[in-house]
Coordinates of all heavy atoms in Angstrom, one line a residue:
I81 N -15.5 -12.6 42.7 CA -16.9 -12.9 42.5 C -17.3 -12.5 41.2 O -18.3 -13.0 40.6 CB -17.7 -12.0 43.5 CG1 -19.2 -12.6 43.6 CG2 -17.7 -10.7 43.5 CD1 -19.5 -14.0 43.8
D82 N -16.7 -11.5 40.5 CA -17.0 -11.0 39.2 C -16.6 -12.2 38.2 O -17.2 -12.2 37.0 CB -16.2 -9.8 38.8 CG -16.8 -8.5 39.5 OD1 -18.0 -8.6 39.7 OD2 -16.0 -7.7 39.8
W83 N -15.7 -13.1 38.7 CA -15.4 -14.1 37.7 C -16.3 -15.3 37.9 O -16.4 -16.3 37.0 CB -13.9 -14.8 38.1 CG -12.9 -13.8 37.7 CD1 -12.1 -13.0 38.3 CD2 -12.2 -13.8 36.4 NE1 -11.1 -12.4 37.6 CE2 -11.2 -13.0 36.3 CE3 -12.6 -14.6 35.1 CZ2 -10.4 -12.7 35.2 CZ3 -11.8 -14.3 34.0 CH2 -10.8 -13.4 34.0
A84 N -17.2 -15.3 38.8 CA -18.0 -16.4 39.2 C -19.0 -16.6 38.0 O -19.1 -17.9 37.6 CB -18.8 -16.3 40.5
P85 N -19.7 -15.7 37.4 CA -20.6 -16.0 36.3 C -19.9 -16.6 35.1 O -20.5 -17.4 34.3 CB -21.2 -14.5 36.0 CG -20.9 -13.8 37.3 CD -19.7 -14.3 37.9
L86 N -18.8 -16.0 34.9 CA -18.0 -16.6 33.6 C -17.6 -17.9 33.8 O -17.6 -18.8 33.0 CB -16.7 -15.7 33.4 CG -17.0 -14.2 33.1 CD1 -15.8 -13.4 32.9 CD2 -17.9 -14.0 31.8
V87 N -17.0 -18.2 35.1 CA -16.4 -19.6 35.3 C -17.6 -20.5 35.4 O -17.5 -21.8 34.9 CB -15.7 -19.5 36.5 CG1 -15.3 -21.0 37.0 CG2 -14.5 -18.8 36.6
T88 N -18.7 -20.2 36.1 CA -19.9 -21.0 36.0 C -20.5 -21.4 34.6 O -20.8 -22.6 34.4 CB -20.9 -20.4 37.0 OG1 -20.4 -20.1 38.2 CG2 -22.2 -21.3 37.1
R89 N -20.6 -20.4 33.9 CA -21.1 -20.6 32.6 C -20.2 -21.5 31.7 O -20.6 -22.3 31.0 CB -21.3 -19.3 31.8 CG -22.0 -19.4 30.5 CD -22.2 -18.0 29.8 NE -22.9 -17.1 30.6 CZ -22.4 -15.9 31.0 NH1 -21.1 -15.6 30.8 NH2 -23.1 -15.0 31.7
Y90 N -18.9 -21.2 31.9 CA -18.0 -22.0 31.2 C -18.0 -23.5 31.6 O -18.0 -24.5 30.8 CB -16.4 -21.5 31.2 CG -15.5 -22.3 30.6 CD1 -15.3 -22.3 29.1 CD2 -14.7 -23.3 31.2 CE1 -14.4 -23.1 28.5 CE2 -13.7 -24.2 30.6 CZ -13.5 -24.0 29.3 OH -12.7 -24.8 28.6
A91 N -18.1 -23.7 32.9 CA -18.1 -25.0 33.6 C -19.3 -25.7 32.9 O -19.2 -27.0 32.6 CB -18.1 -24.9 35.0
Y92 N -20.5 -25.1 33.0 CA -21.8 -25.8 32.5 C -21.7 -26.1 31.1 O -22.0 -27.2 30.7 CB -22.8 -24.7 32.8 CG -24.2 -25.1 32.0 CD1 -25.0 -26.1 32.7 CD2 -24.6 -24.5 31.0 CE1 -26.1 -26.6 32.2 CE2 -25.9 -25.1 30.4 CZ -26.6 -26.2 31.0 OH -27.7 -26.7 30.4
R93 N -21.1 -25.1 30.2 CA -21.0 -25.4 28.8 C -20.0 -26.6 28.6 O -20.3 -27.5 27.6 CB -20.5 -24.2 28.1 CG -21.5 -23.0 28.1 CD -21.0 -21.8 27.4 NE -20.7 -22.1 26.0 CZ -19.5 -22.1 25.5 NH1 -18.5 -21.8 26.2 NH2 -19.4 -22.3 24.2
R94 N -18.9 -26.7 29.3 CA -18.0 -27.8 29.2 C -18.6 -29.1 29.7 O -18.4 -30.1 28.9 CB -16.8 -27.6 30.0 CG -15.8 -28.6 29.8 CD -14.4 -28.3 30.4 NE -13.4 -29.3 30.2 CZ -12.2 -29.3 30.6 NH1 -11.7 -28.1 31.4 NH2 -11.4 -30.3 30.5
R95 N -19.5 -29.1 30.7 CA -20.0 -30.3 31.2 C -21.1 -30.8 30.2 O -21.3 -32.0 30.1 CB -20.6 -30.0 32.6 CG -21.2 -31.3 33.2 CD -21.7 -31.1 34.7 NE -22.3 -32.1 35.2 CZ -21.6 -33.1 35.8 NH1 -20.4 -33.0 35.9 NH2 -22.1 -34.2 36.3
T96 N -21.7 -30.0 29.6 CA -22.9 -30.3 28.6 C -22.3 -30.5 27.2 O -23.0 -30.7 26.2 CB -24.0 -29.2 28.7 OG1 -23.4 -28.0 28.3 CG2 -24.6 -29.2 29.9
G97 N -21.0 -30.4 27.0 CA -20.3 -30.6 25.8 C -20.4 -29.5 24.8 O -20.2 -29.7 23.6
Q98 N -20.8 -28.3 25.2 CA -20.9 -27.2 24.3 C -19.6 -26.5 24.0 O -19.6 -25.7 23.0 CB -21.8 -26.0 25.0 CG -23.2 -26.6 25.2 CD -24.0 -25.5 25.7 OE1 -24.1 -24.4 25.3 NE2 -24.9 -25.8 26.8
T99 N -18.6 -26.9 24.6 CA -17.2 -26.4 24.2 C -16.5 -27.1 23.0 O -15.5 -26.7 22.5 CB -16.3 -26.4 25.5 OG1 -16.2 -27.7 26.0 CG2 -16.7 -25.5 26.6
L100 N -17.2 -28.2 22.7 CA -16.7 -29.0 21.6 C -17.7 -29.0 20.4 O -19.0 -29.3 20.8 CB -16.3 -30.4 21.9 CG -16.0 -31.4 20.8 CD1 -14.7 -30.9 20.1 CD2 -15.7 -32.8 21.4
W101 N -17.4 -28.6 19.3 CA -18.4 -28.5 18.1 C -17.9 -29.1 16.9 O -16.7 -29.0 16.5 CB -18.7 -27.0 17.8 CG -19.8 -26.8 16.8 CD1 -21.2 -26.6 17.2 CD2 -19.6 -26.6 15.4 NE1 -21.8 -26.4 16.0 CE2 -21.0 -26.5 15.0 CE3 -18.7 -26.7 14.6 CZ2 -21.2 -26.3 13.5 CZ3 -18.9 -26.4 13.2 CH2 -20.2 -26.4 12.8
R102 N -18.7 -29.9 16.4 CA -18.2 -30.7 15.1 C -19.4 -30.5 14.1 O -20.6 -30.6 14.3 CB -18.1 -32.1 15.3 CG -17.0 -32.6 16.2 CD -16.8 -34.0 16.2 NE -15.8 -34.5 17.1 CZ -16.0 -35.0 18.2 NH1 -17.3 -35.0 18.7 NH2 -15.0 -35.3 19.0
A103 N -18.9 -30.1 12.8 CA -19.8 -30.0 11.7 C -20.4 -31.5 11.4 O -19.6 -32.4 11.4 CB -19.2 -29.5 10.4
R104 N -21.7 -31.6 11.2 CA -22.3 -32.8 11.1 C -23.1 -32.8 9.6 O -23.5 -31.8 9.2 CB -23.3 -33.2 12.1 CG -22.7 -33.5 13.5 CD -23.6 -33.8 14.5 NE -23.0 -34.0 15.9 CZ -22.6 -33.1 16.7 NH1 -22.6 -31.9 16.4 NH2 -22.0 -33.5 17.9
P105 N -23.2 -34.1 9.0 CA -24.0 -34.1 7.8 C -25.4 -33.6 8.0 O -26.0 -33.9 9.0 CB -23.9 -35.6 7.4 CG -22.6 -36.1 8.2 CD -22.5 -35.3 9.4
V106 N -25.9 -32.9 7.1 CA -27.2 -32.2 7.3 C -28.3 -33.4 6.9 O -28.2 -33.9 5.8 CB -27.4 -31.0 6.4 CG1 -28.8 -30.5 6.5 CG2 -26.4 -29.9 6.8
S107 N -29.1 -33.7 7.8 CA -30.1 -34.8 7.6 C -31.5 -34.1 7.2 O -32.3 -34.8 6.6 CB -30.2 -35.7 8.8 OG -30.6 -34.9 9.9
R108 N -31.6 -32.9 7.7 CA -32.9 -32.2 7.4 C -32.7 -31.3 6.2 O -31.6 -31.0 5.8 CB -33.3 -31.4 8.6 CG -33.6 -32.3 9.9 CD -34.0 -31.4 11.0 NE -32.9 -30.6 11.5 CZ -32.8 -29.7 12.6 NH1 -33.9 -29.5 13.2 NH2 -31.8 -29.2 12.9
P109 N -33.8 -30.9 5.6 CA -33.7 -30.0 4.4 C -32.8 -28.7 4.8 O -33.0 -28.0 5.8 CB -35.1 -29.5 4.2 CG -35.9 -30.7 4.7 CD -35.2 -31.2 5.9
R110 N -31.9 -28.3 4.0 CA -31.0 -27.2 4.3 C -31.8 -25.9 4.1 O -32.6 -25.7 3.1 CB -29.9 -27.3 3.1 CG -28.9 -26.0 3.3 CD -27.9 -26.2 2.3 NE -26.9 -27.4 2.6 CZ -25.9 -27.6 1.7 NH1 -25.6 -26.8 0.6 NH2 -25.1 -28.6 2.0
V111 N -31.5 -25.0 5.2 CA -32.0 -23.7 5.0 C -31.2 -22.7 4.2 O -29.9 -22.7 4.5 CB -32.0 -23.2 6.5 CG1 -32.6 -21.7 6.5 CG2 -32.9 -24.0 7.4
E112 N -31.8 -22.3 3.2 CA -30.8 -21.6 2.2 C -30.2 -20.3 2.8 O -30.9 -19.6 3.6 CB -31.8 -20.9 1.2 CG -31.2 -20.2 0.0 CD -32.0 -19.8 -1.1 OE1 -33.2 -19.9 -0.9 OE2 -31.4 -19.0 -2.0
G113 N -28.9 -20.3 2.7 CA -28.1 -19.2 3.2 C -27.6 -19.4 4.6 O -26.8 -18.5 5.1
L114 N -28.0 -20.5 5.3 CA -27.6 -20.7 6.7 C -26.1 -21.0 6.7 O -25.6 -21.8 6.0 CB -28.3 -21.9 7.3 CG -28.2 -22.1 8.8 CD1 -28.9 -21.0 9.6 CD2 -28.7 -23.4 9.2
L115 N -25.5 -20.3 7.6 CA -24.0 -20.2 7.7 C -23.3 -21.4 8.4 O -22.1 -21.6 8.2 CB -23.5 -18.9 8.2 CG -23.7 -17.6 7.3 CD1 -23.3 -16.4 8.2 CD2 -23.0 -17.8 6.0
H116 N -24.2 -22.1 9.1 CA -23.6 -23.4 9.9 C -22.5 -23.0 10.7 O -21.4 -23.6 10.8 CB -23.3 -24.4 9.0 CG -24.5 -25.1 8.2 ND1 -25.5 -26.0 8.8 CD2 -25.0 -24.8 7.1 CE1 -26.4 -26.3 8.0 NE2 -26.1 -25.5 6.8
L117 N -22.6 -22.0 11.6 CA -21.6 -21.5 12.5 C -21.9 -22.1 14.0 O -23.0 -22.4 14.2 CB -21.5 -20.1 12.8 CG -21.3 -19.2 11.2 CD1 -21.3 -17.8 11.5 CD2 -20.0 -19.6 10.6
P118 N -20.9 -22.3 14.8 CA -21.0 -22.9 16.1 C -21.7 -21.8 17.1 O -21.5 -20.6 16.8 CB -19.6 -23.3 16.5 CG -18.7 -22.4 15.7 CD -19.4 -22.2 14.4
G119 N -22.2 -22.3 18.1 CA -22.6 -21.5 19.3 C -23.7 -20.5 18.8 O -24.6 -21.0 18.1
A120 N -23.8 -19.3 19.5 CA -24.9 -18.5 19.3 C -25.0 -17.9 18.0 O -26.0 -17.3 17.6 CB -24.7 -17.2 20.4
A121 N -24.0 -18.1 17.1 CA -24.0 -17.6 15.7 C -24.7 -18.7 14.8 O -24.7 -18.4 13.6 CB -22.7 -17.3 15.1
A122 N -25.2 -19.7 15.4 CA -25.7 -20.8 14.4 C -27.0 -20.4 13.7 O -27.3 -20.9 12.6 CB -26.2 -21.9 15.5
S123 N -27.8 -19.3 14.1 CA -28.9 -19.0 13.5 C -28.6 -17.8 12.4 O -29.6 -17.4 11.7 CB -29.8 -18.3 14.4 OG -29.4 -17.1 15.1
L124 N -27.4 -17.3 12.2 CA -27.1 -16.5 11.1 C -27.1 -17.0 9.7 O -26.8 -18.1 9.5 CB -25.6 -15.9 11.3 CG -25.3 -15.2 12.6 CD1 -23.9 -14.6 12.6 CD2 -26.2 -14.0 13.0
R125 N -27.7 -16.2 8.9 CA -27.7 -16.8 7.5 C -27.6 -15.6 6.6 O -27.8 -14.3 6.8 CB -29.1 -17.4 7.2 CG -30.3 -16.7 7.2 CD -31.6 -17.5 7.1 NE -32.7 -16.8 7.0 CZ -33.4 -16.5 5.8 NH1 -32.9 -16.9 4.6 NH2 -34.6 -15.8 5.7
V126 N -27.1 -15.8 5.4 CA -26.9 -14.8 4.3 C -28.1 -14.8 3.4 O -28.5 -15.9 2.8 CB -25.6 -15.2 3.5 CG1 -25.5 -14.2 2.4 CG2 -24.4 -15.1 4.4
T127 N -28.6 -13.6 3.2 CA -29.7 -13.3 2.3 C -29.3 -12.5 1.3 O -28.5 -11.7 1.3 CB -31.0 -12.8 3.1 OG1 -30.5 -11.4 3.5 CG2 -31.3 -13.6 4.3
T128 N -29.8 -12.7 0.1 CA -29.6 -12.0 -1.2 C -31.0 -11.4 -1.7 O -31.9 -12.2 -2.0 CB -28.9 -12.7 -2.3 OG1 -27.7 -13.3 -1.7 CG2 -28.6 -11.9 -3.4
S129 N -31.1 -10.1 -1.7 CA -32.3 -9.6 -2.0 C -32.6 -9.6 -3.6 O -31.6 -10.0 -4.3 CB -32.3 -8.1 -1.6 OG -31.4 -7.4 -2.5
A130 N -33.7 -9.3 -4.0 CA -34.0 -9.2 -5.5 C -33.1 -8.4 -6.3 O -32.8 -8.6 -7.4 CB -35.5 -8.8 -5.6
C131 N -32.6 -7.3 -5.6 CA -31.8 -6.5 -6.2 C -30.2 -6.9 -6.1 O -29.4 -6.1 -6.7 CB -32.0 -4.9 -5.8 SG -31.8 -4.9 -4.0
G132 N -30.0 -8.1 -5.6 CA -28.6 -8.5 -5.5 C -27.8 -8.1 -4.2 O -26.6 -8.5 -4.2
T133 N -28.3 -7.5 -3.3 CA -27.6 -7.1 -2.1 C -27.6 -8.3 -1.2 O -28.6 -8.9 -0.8 CB -28.4 -5.9 -1.5 OG1 -28.6 -4.9 -2.3 CG2 -27.6 -5.5 -0.3
A134 N -26.4 -8.6 -0.8 CA -26.1 -9.7 0.3 C -25.9 -9.2 1.6 O -25.1 -8.2 1.8 CB -24.9 -10.5 -0.2
T135 N -26.6 -9.7 2.5 CA -26.7 -9.2 3.9 C -26.7 -10.4 4.7 O -27.1 -11.6 4.4 CB -27.8 -8.3 4.3 OG1 -29.1 -9.0 4.0 CG2 -27.6 -7.0 3.6
I136 N -26.3 -10.3 6.0 CA -26.3 -11.3 7.1 C -27.5 -11.0 8.0 O -27.6 -9.9 8.7 CB -24.9 -11.3 7.9 CG1 -23.7 -11.6 7.0 CG2 -25.0 -12.4 9.0 CD1 -22.5 -11.5 7.6
H137 N -28.3 -12.0 8.2 CA -29.5 -11.7 8.9 C -29.3 -12.4 10.3 O -29.2 -13.6 10.2 CB -30.8 -12.3 8.2 CG -32.1 -12.0 9.0 ND1 -33.1 -13.0 9.1 CD2 -32.6 -11.0 9.8 CE1 -34.0 -12.6 9.8 NE2 -33.7 -11.4 10.2
D138 N -29.6 -11.8 11.4 CA -29.6 -12.3 12.7 C -31.0 -12.2 13.3 O -31.4 -11.2 13.8 CB -28.6 -11.6 13.6 CG -28.4 -12.1 15.0 OD1 -29.2 -13.1 15.2 OD2 -27.7 -11.5 15.9
P139 N -31.7 -13.3 13.2 CA -33.1 -13.3 13.7 C -33.2 -13.0 15.2 O -34.3 -12.5 15.6 CB -33.6 -14.7 13.4 CG -32.5 -15.5 13.1 CD -31.4 -14.7 12.8
H140 N -32.3 -13.5 16.0 CA -32.3 -13.1 17.4 C -31.9 -11.7 17.9 O -32.6 -11.1 18.6 CB -31.4 -14.1 18.1 CG -31.8 -15.5 18.0 ND1 -33.0 -16.1 18.2 CD2 -31.0 -16.7 17.6 CE1 -32.9 -17.4 18.0 NE2 -31.8 -17.7 17.7
G141 N -30.8 -11.3 17.2 CA -30.5 -9.9 17.4 C -31.2 -8.8 16.7 O -31.2 -7.6 16.9

Side-chain angles (χ1 to χ4, degrees):
I81 189 60
D82 287 329
W83 283 101
L86 297 176
V87 175
T88 302
R89 187 182 301 117
Y90 177 80
Y92 171 78
R93 294 178 60 249
R94 183 172 182 180
R95 183 175 181 82
T96 56
Q98 296 181 45
T99 57
L100 173 62
W101 187 89
R102 295 188 184 93
R104 294 178 176 83
V106 179
S107 57
R108 293 175 295 179
R110 176 181 295 180
V111 178
E112 184 180 358
L114 192 66
L115 293 171
H116 293 282
L117 302 178
S123 61
L124 298 181
R125 68 186 186 99
V126 176
T127 64
T128 303
S129 67
C131 52
T133 303
T135 53
I136 303 173
H137 179 222
D138 181 359
H140 297 310

